[in-house]
Amino acid sequence: MVAVQETVERVRRIDVDQYRYGFETQIESDKAPKGLSEDTVRFISAKKNEPAWMLEWRLEAYRRWLTMTEPTWARVDYPKIDYQDIYYYAAPKPKKTLSSIDEIDPEILKTYEKLGIPLREVAILEGVEPPPGGPQTPNRKIAVDAVFDSVSVATTFQKELKAAGVIFMPISEAIREHPELVQKYLGTVVPTSDNYFATLNSAVFSDGSFVYVPPGVRCPMELSTYFRINERNTGQFERTLIIADKGSYISYLEGCTAPQRDENQLHAAVVELVTLDDAEIKYSTVQNWYPGNSEGKGGIYNFVTKRGDCRGKNSKISWTQVETGSAITWKYPSCILRGDNSSGEFYSIVISNGFQQVDSGTKMIHLGKNTSSRIISKGIAAGKSQNTYRGLVSAHRKATGARNYTACDSLLIGDKCGAHTVPYVEAKNSSATFEHEATTSKISEDVLFYCLQRGLSEQQAIGLVVNGFAKDVLQKLPMEFAVEAQKLISISLEGSVG
Amino acid sequence: MTLLEIQDLNVGVDSREIIRGLDLMVNAGEVHAIMGPNGSGKSTLSHVIAGKPGYEVTGGHILFRGEDLLEMEPNERAAKGVFLAFQYPVEIPGVTTMNFLRTALNAQRKARGRGELSTPEFLKKVREVAGSLNITRDMLKRGVNVGFSGGEKKRNEVLQMALFEPSLCILDEIDSGLDIDALRIVASGINGLRSPERAMIVITHYQRLLHYIVPDYVHVMSKGRVVKSGSKELALELEACGYAQFETAA
Ligand SMILES: Nc1ncnc2c1ncn2[C@@H]1O[C@H](COP(=O)(O)OP(=O)(O)O)[C@@H](O)[C@H]1O
Ligand SMILES: [Mg+2]
C-alpha cells in the first residue's frame, strides 16, 4: 500500500523524544543500601517507625518472595531484572520535621509545579469548559498526596477532610495512626502471596496513600495522589489502600511521571480497594512514566497489581485508566464482585509507541448473585510497540444472573506495531450472560488527508482522530483529568508515531 | 492575477499513468468547470493539487501564486488558501463537527499569522453560515460526517469552505447525491463565495450543476488531459452530444 507507507514515513519524520516530564530534580536524598535482603526490609520498616506487626508482615512476604519466580505469561519481553542492583528506598533528605507545606524543600515544590500539580491549598483549574450537562462545579477542590520516590511529601486539605471524617494520609502514617483499620484491610484484596511483584511490594513498599471514607459519607472532594520517581536506580513500590465504608462514595485520581533515564527503573505498586454495602469507589489513573527513548533505551518497568473487592451488596468499583507511559506495562485492574448486585467497570485507553510493550486488561470475577461488569478497552498502537489486551471474565457457580459486556477496540498507526486481544471467559453458571465485541482498525489515510487538507498538522490530525477513537473512555474521567489526558494522548503520539 | 498554473502535468499511481500532459490556468475571480466522463482523472487532479499522498508526479509543475505547490505539505497548501471539497467526505467518529471546525480554523489562522478566534466569535460565525446552509445545531454536535446523509456531507463541505475563506476552491462533484432542493442551497452557498479575489474549479459530470453555478470557462477532460476548453456554451454542447466525441479524440 503506497498510501499507508507514505503516512508511516511522514510520521516518522516527526521529532521523537518529546517526553515533557523528563527533568531531574537536584536534591539530597537518603537511600537504603543497594540490594534486597532481610536487612533492607528491616531498614525500610525502621525508617518508617513501624510497629512490630508490620515488620513481621513484610518479612513474611519477603521470605515468600524468595520462593517465587517471575511470571512469563505476559506478551512482554525484557532483559532479566537484577533485583540486587536496585535501591529499595530513597527519600528526599528532610532539613527538619515538616509541619506545613511551606517547609517542603522548594526544589520538590518546583518539581510538582513543573508537572502542573496543585500542591498549594487552592487547586482552581482554569480554562476548562464543563461538559454539557455535567455535574462539575467550577473552583472544585482536589486534595493531593504527592509521593516523591519513596515518601509522601505533602498531603493537602487535611483539615477539610477531617471535618468530613475522611482519612486521607500517607500509608506510612496510617500504619502508625490507624493500625486497626490498616490491619483489618491490608492484604485482604491482594494477599501477600498473590503474585511475584505484589509479594515484592509487600516486603518493600515504602509509601503510598491510605483512604478511609466512613459510612454514609460522600467524600467532599476528589482525592489525588501523584507519584514521581526521581532518584537513579531506584525502584518505586507504593501501596495504596482505599476503603469505602457502607453507603459512602469516593473518587480518586492517580498520576505518575518519572525523569528520562538511560537505565530501566522498576515500579511495582499494589492498589487495594474495598467497598462495603452500597458504597462506590471511582479510581482514575493517568500513567505517564517515562517510556524510553526512540531507540527503546530506558523507561520504566511497570508491574502493577490493582484490585478492588466489592465486598458489600450493591457496591460498585469503577477503574478508568489512561496508560501512555512506561517501557513495559503489566497491569490488570480487576474487580471481585462478591456482594450481591455489585458491579465493576473497567474503562481503559492504552497508547503504546516507540518500543513500548503493554500487556494490560482486567479481571471481572463474578461471585455474588446478579452481579454485572462492563469493560471498554481502547488500545492504540504506534511505532514498533506491542499492545495486548488481556482480560478474564468469570462467573462462579453461585453467581446466578451474572452479566458482562466487553468491547475491545484497537487502532493501529503504521504497520510495524501490533495489537492483540486475549479474552478469557469462564462461566460456571448457566444463567450468566457474557457479551464480547472486538474490532481492530487502522488509522485511515483518507481521514488523515482530510484533516491535513483542512489545515491541521499531522500531529494535530492524529491527536484528534485518536481522541475521537477513545472518546467513550475519556468521558468517564473526572473533568480535570479528561483535559490532561486529551493533551497527553496528543503529546505521546507526537513523539514516535510511525 | 494568476492563481493557479498547471503545466504539462503527468501523474501516475502504481506506475499507471492517470494524468497525461494536463495544462490549466486559473485567474483570481474566475470560475472554471471541469467536465468529463468517469475515470477521466478529475478527482486525481484535485487530489494532486491538494497534495494527497500516494500519487507520483512524473512530470510538469503546479504553481500557486507563482510558488511551487508540489513542494508543500497538504496543510501548508490549505493555509495558503487551497480548499478541496471532497467527492467522498470522510467520517471521523468521536470528533464533533464543532470541535473539528474550530481546531482546523485556528490552525489555518495561526499559519496565516492571525490570532485564534474567541469562542463567542467562532460560534457566531459558524451558526451564521450553518443557518444559511440549513445545517442544524444537532449536526454540528455529531461526529464529523457521522450518520450524515450524502446531501448533509456536501453541505458540511461548503460550510467549511465558507469558514476557512480559501482563495482557490476546488469542488469535486459537489452535486452528486443531491436532490434539487439541496442542490439549490449548496449552489447558492457557493455563489455567495464568488469574489474577485477568489477562484473556483467546479468538477462535475453533469451540466445540471452549471445552471446554478455559471462558469466562466468549461474544460473537457478525457483520459487524463484537457481535450477541449471553451466558454459556458461548451457545457450545453456536451449535454446535447455527450462525451463520446472526446473519448475518441483523446
Ligand atoms: N489510488 C488509485 N490507485 C489505482 N488507480 C487509481 C487510483 N486513483 C484513481 N485511479 C484510477 O485513475 C483513473 C481516474 O480516476 P479518477 O481521478 O477518480 O477519475 P474521475 O474523478 O474523473 O472519475 C481511474 O481509472 C481510476 O481507476
Ligand atoms: Mg471523481
Side-chain angles (χ1 to χ4, degrees):
Chain A
M1 286 281 295
V2 184
V4 169
Q5 188 54 35
E6 287 239 359
T7 308
V8 173
E9 268 157 21
R10 266 183 302 156
V11 157
R12 198 180 288 131
R13 274 185 261 132
I14 299 168
D15 277 351
V16 288
D17 293 337
Q18 303 194 0
Y19 188 69
R20 247 174 61 189
Y21 306 103
F23 51 85
E24 178 177 359
T25 306
Q26 297 300 335
I27 36 160
E28 275 190 272
S29 93
D30 182 9
K31 279 185 184 170
K34 213 179 209 179
L36 183 53
S37 65
E38 277 205 17
D39 286 344
T40 319
V41 177
R42 287 176 199 281
F43 176 95
I44 294 168
S45 187
K47 274 278 167 201
K48 302 278 173 191
N49 292 321
E50 283 177 357
W53 61 265
M54 195 65 238
L55 175 61
E56 267 320 301
W57 196 86
R58 287 175 180 276
L59 287 171
E60 198 189 306
Y62 173 68
R63 289 169 199 139
R64 178 101 194 185
W65 182 75
L66 290 175
T67 68
M68 299 167 90
T69 47
E70 214 169 307
T72 53
W73 44 261
R75 196 185 182 110
V76 291
D77 184 24
Y78 55 95
K80 209 169 156 42
I81 298 171
D82 181 354
Y83 290 89
Q84 297 308 332
D85 196 33
I86 296 173
Y87 289 102
Y88 287 83
Y89 183 86
K93 240 181 207 161
K95 303 248 153 55
K96 57 180 164 38
T97 322
L98 305 179
S99 61
S100 94
I101 192 164
D102 292 316
E103 292 173 34
I104 294 171
D105 192 325
E107 284 297 315
I108 293 181
L109 276 184
K110 254 192 250 161
T111 301
Y112 280 97
E113 259 162 41
K114 270 193 233 174
L115 298 170
I117 298 161
L119 278 191
R120 295 282 159 182
E121 298 247 328
V122 185
I124 300 167
L125 293 137
E126 291 174 328
V128 184
E129 277 180 79
Q136 268 75 16
T137 51
N139 302 353
R140 213 149 48 100
K141 292 171 174 178
I142 305 176
V144 178
D145 181 20
V147 177
F148 208 82
D149 290 331
S150 308
V151 293
S152 169
V153 292
T155 308
T156 61
F157 288 113
Q158 288 280 19
K159 278 188 212 120
E160 284 88 337
L161 290 169
K162 213 168 190 170
V166 175
I167 304 171
F168 177 40
M169 55 171 59
I171 199 161
S172 55
E173 265 174 61
I175 289 166
R176 295 192 300 266
E177 290 179 27
H178 301 281
E180 69 303 332
L181 282 173
V182 176
Q183 261 185 302
K184 184 168 174 193
Y185 291 104
L186 187 72
T188 62
V189 187
V190 179
T192 50
S193 58
D194 193 78
N195 70 71
Y196 190 78
F197 298 108
T199 305
L200 175 64
N201 173 287
S202 301
V204 301
F205 78 86
S206 38
D207 224 327
S209 295
F210 175 82
V211 179
Y212 172 77
V213 191
V217 171
R218 200 180 161 87
C219 189
M221 62 187 79
E222 262 155 10
L223 302 186
S224 168
T225 302
Y226 273 86
F227 295 104
R228 171 141 182 104
I229 299 177
N230 193 59
E231 276 298 314
R232 208 168 272 279
N233 293 322
T234 301
Q236 181 153 328
F237 306 92
E238 82 267 2
R239 182 113 196 168
T240 297
L241 175 59
I242 301 176
I243 302 131
D245 212 323
K246 292 181 182 171
S248 68
Y249 169 84
I250 165 135
S251 167
Y252 185 90
L253 322 174
E254 177 203 78
C256 345
T257 61
Q260 229 162 299
R261 297 209 184 282
D262 284 349
E263 75 270 9
N264 297 106
Q265 280 178 291
L266 179 62
H267 172 251
V270 172
V271 175
E272 296 179 277
L273 311 182
V274 179
T275 47
L276 303 185
D277 291 356
D278 306 302
E280 178 176 349
I281 298 176
K282 184 172 163 56
Y283 193 106
S284 314
T285 304
V286 172
Q287 186 267 111
N288 185 28
W289 298 118
Y290 178 52
N293 73 4
S294 54
E295 270 97 52
K297 201 167 187 329
I300 301 291
Y301 290 167
N302 192 30
F303 298 98
V304 171
T305 305
K306 289 184 168 175
R307 196 174 301 153
D309 187 355
C310 287
R311 212 162 275 184
K313 62 178 166 50
N314 305 318
S315 65
K316 179 172 174 184
I317 288 177
S318 176
W319 297 100
T320 304
Q321 62 172 20
V322 178
E323 302 276 317
T324 61
S326 297
I328 309 273
T329 298
W330 182 101
K331 179 182 172 188
Y332 316 89
S334 302
C335 296
I336 300 167
L337 303 167
R338 199 184 302 276
D340 290 347
N341 302 311
S342 62
S343 62
E345 293 173 341
F346 175 72
Y347 298 109
S348 170
I349 298 170
V350 176
I351 298 188
S352 58
N353 64 37
F355 287 83
Q356 283 178 280
Q357 302 174 62
V358 187
D359 196 295
S360 182
T362 185
K363 286 189 266 185
M364 292 291 173
I365 316 286
H366 294 254
L367 302 179
K369 292 188 181 60
N370 298 316
T371 48
S372 63
S373 60
R374 188 175 170 82
I375 299 170
I376 310 286
S377 164
K378 305 277 179 179
I380 298 112
K384 294 181 177 158
S385 68
Q386 294 296 327
N387 197 324
T388 302
Y389 168 82
R390 188 182 302 276
L392 167 69
V393 179
S394 80
H396 191 261
R397 220 164 17 83
K398 291 178 184 153
T400 47
R403 295 183 309 282
N404 167 266
Y405 172 76
T406 299
C408 292
D409 298 320
S410 306
L411 183 68
L412 296 163
I413 303 175
D415 50 11
K416 297 198 171 59
C417 52
H420 320 275
T421 302
V422 192
Y424 303 90
V425 176
E426 298 168 4
K428 298 204 180 95
N429 187 302
S430 60
S431 69
T433 36
F434 292 169
E435 280 177 75
H436 181 95
E437 289 170 17
T439 65
T440 301
S441 50
K442 266 199 161 180
I443 201 159
S444 128
E445 182 69 29
D446 286 343
V447 168
L448 268 188
F449 177 60
Y450 188 84
C451 294
L452 262 61
Q453 207 306 300
R454 298 311 187 233
L456 299 183
S457 67
E458 195 107 49
Q459 288 100 315
Q460 282 177 312
I462 290 169
L464 203 69
V465 171
V466 171
N467 271 303
F469 171 76
K471 189 179 192 177
D472 301 352
V473 175
L474 281 171
Q475 282 174 338
K476 299 290 173 189
L477 285 169
M479 191 180 51
E480 300 78 3
F481 251 35
V483 173
E484 189 183 335
Q486 267 178 19
K487 286 189 202 141
L488 195 57
I489 287 173
S490 302
I491 290 168
S492 55
L493 286 167
E494 258 174 41
S496 41
V497 190
Chain B
M1 192 190 72
T2 304
L3 267 188
L4 183 74
E5 192 181 339
I6 303 179
Q7 266 182 13
D8 197 23
L9 185 70
N10 286 270
V11 177
V13 173
D14 294 336
S15 66
R16 193 186 135 204
E17 282 191 297
I18 293 173
I19 293 188
R20 302 178 299 158
L22 182 136
D23 298 296
L24 185 67
M25 277 271 269
V26 178
N27 295 314
E30 296 173 351
V31 173
H32 291 242
I34 296 184
M35 303 184 70
N38 278 330
S40 56
K42 305 183 296 296
S43 291
T44 302
L45 175 64
S46 72
H47 289 156
V48 172
I49 297 172
K52 185 171 181 173
Y55 297 97
E56 200 190 344
V57 176
T58 51
H61 62 250
I62 305 180
L63 301 181
F64 185 67
R65 289 206 177 96
E67 288 184 276
D68 185 353
L69 207 57
L70 296 174
E71 283 299 307
M72 295 178 210
E73 294 295 324
N75 52 330
E76 287 176 64
R77 301 183 198 197
K80 295 267 181 200
V82 175
F83 181 90
L84 169 60
F86 287 80
Q87 182 174 1
Y88 304 108
V90 299
E91 300 184 1
I92 314 178
V95 179
T96 64
T97 304
M98 207 54 137
N99 181 20
F100 181 77
L101 294 176
R102 187 171 182 181
T103 312
L105 181 61
N106 282 333
Q108 295 207 15
R109 287 179 68 98
K110 196 173 162 202
R112 294 174 191 172
R114 296 164 72 186
E116 294 196 349
L117 274 185
S118 73
T119 305
E121 283 172 316
F122 169 75
L123 289 176
K124 187 163 169 275
K125 206 170 164 179
V126 172
R127 286 183 181 148
E128 221 173 77
V129 186
S132 71
L133 289 165
N134 261 356
I135 292 175
T136 61
R137 291 201 181 179
D138 171 63
M139 274 169 71
L140 296 172
K141 282 187 205 153
R142 276 191 263 156
V144 177
N145 293 324
V146 176
F148 285 25
S149 69
E152 286 172 335
K153 285 182 184 172
K154 294 300 170 82
R155 278 186 273 150
N156 193 18
E157 294 293 283
V158 178
L159 167 65
Q160 295 177 58
M161 187 167 118
L163 277 182
F164 302 154
E165 298 171 5
S167 44
L168 175 65
C169 307
I170 305 165
L171 299 144
D172 191 1
E173 304 215 11
I174 196 75
D175 51 334
S176 65
L178 295 188
D179 61 30
I180 196 72
D181 293 329
L183 184 63
R184 278 206 187 98
I185 293 169
V186 164
S188 103
I190 294 167
N191 283 328
L193 293 171
R194 288 178 81 151
S195 90
E197 290 82 42
R198 183 173 286 145
M200 294 189 184
I201 298 176
V202 180
I203 295 173
T204 182
H205 190 76
Y206 301 104
Q207 143 72 15
R208 184 181 71 153
L209 176 67
L210 305 182
H211 287 306
Y212 297 93
I213 304 170
V214 180
D216 300 303
Y217 301 95
V218 174
H219 309 277
V220 181
M221 223 178 134
S222 176
K223 296 182 179 156
R225 284 194 188 104
V226 171
V227 290
K228 185 159 186 181
S229 295
S231 62
K232 61 178 189 255
E233 281 73 30
L234 179 56
L236 297 171
E237 192 185 314
L238 275 172
E239 190 172 45
C241 314
Y243 290 113
Q245 50 175 323
F246 301 108
E247 299 271 5
T248 44

